[in-house]
Amino acid sequence: MGKKAEGKQLAQNKKASHDYFIEETYEAGMVLTGTEIKSLRSGRANINDAFATIRNGEIHIHNMHISPFEQGNRHNPSDPTRPRKLLLHKQQIHKLLGQSKQEGYAIVPLKIYVRNGYAKLLIGLGKGKKQYDKREAAAKRDAQRDIQRVLREKQKVAR
């Protein structure tokens, strides 16, 4: 059989693109215990306040909230925001470590999804935006929205 199709997106960090310029992205596997995957598949995860750290050659995600599964058993983890290990190649971890040590860079979780039956976390190397960058991005977005609105109105009049 061929590859399974990519599953649905389970959680997304919408604040990440607002607060950071995402320069590179990496797909990482997650080490989950008990019924966490069932909670993930039911969409009970939040990564808005999550961040990643690298210690002893391993990368961990902190503050990622996965709600306990209601029909869970004794293997249900008790702490929904416990640090979870991420699975990346050693070269990728070393590259991320070197780049994230630079001033203004952070490892930011972007979204959680399922691929081939495994939960994956898309992490990005983000450079923090300054306040004026955020205002500039908002102004561009508003201008684009105004242009689209004018074009739609012209199309309605033409019909």
Side-chain angles (χ1 to χ4, degrees):
M1 294 188 98
K3 274 189 168 182
K4 293 181 185 175
E6 185 172 332
K8 66 175 183 160
Q9 181 172 305
L10 304 175
Q12 184 175 8
N13 187 354
K14 294 180 181 174
K15 258 182 8 182
S17 61
H18 182 263
D19 293 340
Y20 297 95
F21 294 112
I22 305 300
E23 296 185 357
E24 284 187 67
T25 59
Y26 298 91
E27 181 183 78
M30 292 186 285
V31 177
L32 302 174
T33 60
T35 55
E36 286 181 326
I37 187 65
K38 292 183 179 189
S39 293
L40 269 179
R41 287 179 188 267
S42 63
R44 300 183 44 81
N46 184 356
I47 57 173
N48 286 339
D49 298 326
F51 62 95
T53 59
I54 300 176
R55 282 200 202 107
N56 301 329
E58 294 181 343
I59 186 166
H60 294 271
I61 182 107
H62 302 272
N63 283 355
M64 180 173 70
H65 188 278
I66 299 177
S67 298
F69 191 61
E70 290 87 13
Q71 293 83 33
N73 53 16
R74 62 189 168 128
H75 300 292
N76 222 1
S78 58
D79 184 15
T81 59
R82 70 179 179 81
R84 292 168 179 89
K85 184 176 174 182
L86 298 180
L87 305 172
L88 282 173
H89 292 285
K90 197 172 281 192
Q91 296 90 349
Q92 291 175 325
I93 293 175
H94 289 306
K95 188 175 180 183
L96 269 174
L97 179 63
Q99 291 174 330
S100 67
K101 291 279 187 197
Q102 298 175 24
E103 186 68 28
Y105 282 87
I107 303 168
V108 185
L110 302 174
K111 65 180 176 177
I112 300 174
Y113 54 93
V114 175
R115 172 174 284 166
N116 298 335
Y118 294 102
K120 301 290 184 178
L121 177 69
L122 187 70
I123 57 174
L125 181 70
K127 182 168 175 40
K129 285 185 180 179
K130 304 281 190 243
Q131 190 64 37
Y132 59 84
D133 290 331
K134 293 178 187 178
R135 282 194 293 265
E136 186 178 305
K140 282 183 184 177
R141 200 170 43 243
D142 291 344
Q144 192 66 30
R145 201 175 295 136
D146 291 342
I147 291 170
Q148 292 299 324
R149 186 181 312 120
V150 168
L151 288 175
R152 276 194 305 269
E153 289 173 0
K154 283 187 177 184
Q155 286 177 347
K156 285 181 182 177
V157 170
R159 290 181 186 175

